[in-house]
Amino acid sequence: TGFNSAGNDQMIEIGAVEIQNGEIIDRFDELINPGRHIPDKITELTCITDEMVITNMVNSSLARIHLASVLEKLSPSQMELVKEATDLYKENRNIRKSGLPVFPNGTSFFYDDSCCVGLVNSKEMWLAVWCTSKEAKDVIVDLSKYNPLEVSVLYPKKVETKYSFDKSSNKLVFSPKERYSARLFKVLLK
């Protein structure tokens, strides 16, 4: 968690390689939960933010999860975000099997400032919402044609998400704190 091993800083990762005849023949890498917050300076070293992890996991939540080798660079708190998403993916296969794809704001184009896509069945919708603009700005999703009853954050639950749902207009507003952010919402239907 820092560079002072004699002080309060804790180890967050162990790594080793086995070398034979000058060639790496095996690798070992293990993240360790330090039992405390990982400081921003450590995130700066790894160049991976929580929002990057969240967006990656939202990208795969409605389809098929693909985890790349970049996992070794994640902090323990970021690995918790990955675990939360993969647990959610495993526990909720029904919506992926029975759900039909929907595009509440229409199909998106590469340079659009936002995108949303969902899977809907007779009871609920899982809705992925992305802010893809060059700056953080509200993403408004009109859910009126789906008869929404209530909206909640499905992923991530442990990270603050600023959003609102106006029942009179049936509009969901996601207010990301960073550009290139994403969330997965659960919409209960009437």
Side-chain angles (χ1 to χ4, degrees):
T1 58
F3 302 102
N4 184 3
S5 60
N8 291 331
D9 291 329
Q10 299 294 317
M11 195 172 9
I12 62 170
E13 185 175 19
I14 296 174
V17 293
E18 183 178 349
I19 300 175
Q20 194 171 53
N21 298 326
E23 299 285 325
I24 296 175
I25 61 168
D26 198 9
R27 296 173 187 261
F28 171 79
D29 188 79
E30 183 73 27
L31 294 172
I32 299 169
N33 185 346
R36 59 176 280 202
H37 172 70
I38 308 294
D40 291 341
K41 66 181 177 183
I42 300 305
T43 297
E44 288 176 24
L45 283 174
T46 61
C47 299
I48 300 170
T49 69
D50 288 352
E51 284 299 323
M52 290 168 69
V53 174
I54 292 166
T55 299
N56 182 61
M57 298 312 295
V58 168
N59 288 348
S60 60
S61 291
L62 296 179
R64 184 171 182 89
I65 289 183
H66 171 76
L67 300 174
S69 60
V70 76
L71 289 172
E72 76 259 3
K73 294 181 180 180
L74 300 182
S75 71
S77 63
Q78 291 168 336
M79 284 301 292
E80 282 297 314
L81 291 169
V82 171
K83 181 180 180 335
E84 180 186 353
T86 54
D87 288 349
L88 178 68
Y89 181 84
K90 290 175 192 173
E91 292 169 13
N92 296 289
R93 291 187 170 116
N94 290 340
I95 190 76
R96 288 190 319 277
K97 288 182 180 179
S98 66
L100 297 174
V102 293
F103 302 88
N105 287 356
T107 54
S108 307
F109 295 96
F110 187 75
Y111 293 105
D112 286 351
D113 287 341
S114 66
C115 175
C116 64
V117 63
L119 291 174
V120 65
N121 62 25
S122 61
K123 299 176 187 174
E124 66 185 5
M125 175 193 299
W126 281 25
L127 181 67
V129 179
W130 293 267
C131 173
T132 55
S133 66
K134 294 179 181 172
E135 59 201 39
K137 65 182 190 178
D138 289 353
V139 178
I140 301 168
V141 183
D142 185 356
L143 297 171
S144 52
K145 61 183 160 188
Y146 306 102
N147 296 316
L149 184 61
E150 97 184 34
V151 176
S152 60
V153 175
L154 195 54
Y155 175 80
K157 292 195 184 271
K158 296 178 183 177
V159 174
E160 180 184 354
T161 298
K162 187 176 176 189
Y163 77 101
S164 62
F165 174 62
D166 182 349
K167 289 184 180 185
S168 64
S169 68
N170 291 317
K171 290 196 176 159
L172 166 67
V173 179
F174 168 46
S175 303
K177 63 181 179 178
E178 293 180 23
R179 65 186 189 134
Y180 306 122
S181 295
R183 292 296 184 272
L184 186 60
F185 293 93
K186 182 176 188 174
V187 181
L188 294 180
L189 306 176
K190 295 179 186 171

